[in-house]
Amino acid sequence: QVQFVESGGGLVQPGGSLGLSCAASGINFSILTMGWYRQAPGKQRELVATITSGGSTNYADSQKGRFTISRDIVKKTVYLQMNSLKPEDTAVYYCHPIGTRDSWGQGTQVTVSS
């Protein structure tokens, strides 16, 4: 059974940092490109960052220089380190493989507010 369990969200002040984790199971994690997505209230889900099986990374323009995606193949876990957080980063964050129709996890809520 495919499963993604995101964790690490919370409430943080603007300029603060959070580290998210996503544990994956039921997929061939080592060969898939993984992505972090987010969905803010009333908005469509958007892609934040991706990491290939070889470790190459890519980021949406608004996250470049602030977010870092990484993965641990053995632990089947993908991470997102978020620094210099802004109120507009407030959203539910999800991880998911790129280009598959697997089900989505519950996500983890990130709230950036003073």
Side-chain angles (χ1 to χ4, degrees):
Q1 182 180 357
V2 175
Q3 190 175 21
F4 304 102
V5 180
E6 299 92 348
S7 62
L11 173 64
V12 62
Q13 292 187 341
S17 299
L18 278 176
L20 308 182
S21 300
C22 173
S25 59
I27 61 171
N28 197 342
F29 184 83
S30 62
I31 67 169
L32 291 169
T33 294
M34 294 296 297
W36 276 99
Y37 296 77
R38 69 185 184 187
Q39 187 167 19
K43 295 187 177 181
Q44 288 189 333
R45 187 175 292 165
E46 63 175 350
L47 182 61
V48 171
T50 63
I51 185 165
T52 69
S53 58
S56 296
T57 59
N58 199 20
Y59 302 91
D61 287 344
S62 61
Q63 281 81 50
K64 287 181 180 177
R66 299 190 301 123
F67 290 8
T68 303
I69 187 172
S70 60
R71 67 193 295 168
D72 186 321
I73 298 294
V74 174
K75 294 182 178 180
K76 294 187 178 181
T77 300
V78 61
Y79 305 95
L80 186 68
Q81 178 63 39
M82 306 185 294
N83 299 324
S84 302
L85 283 162
K86 306 174 181 180
E88 51 264 42
D89 294 317
T90 295
V92 179
Y93 285 71
Y94 305 86
C95 75
H96 198 271
I98 302 299
T100 76
R101 294 186 176 186
D102 297 305
S103 59
W104 291 74
Q106 294 297 309
T108 186
Q109 175 71 49
V110 172
T111 303
V112 185
S113 175
S114 55

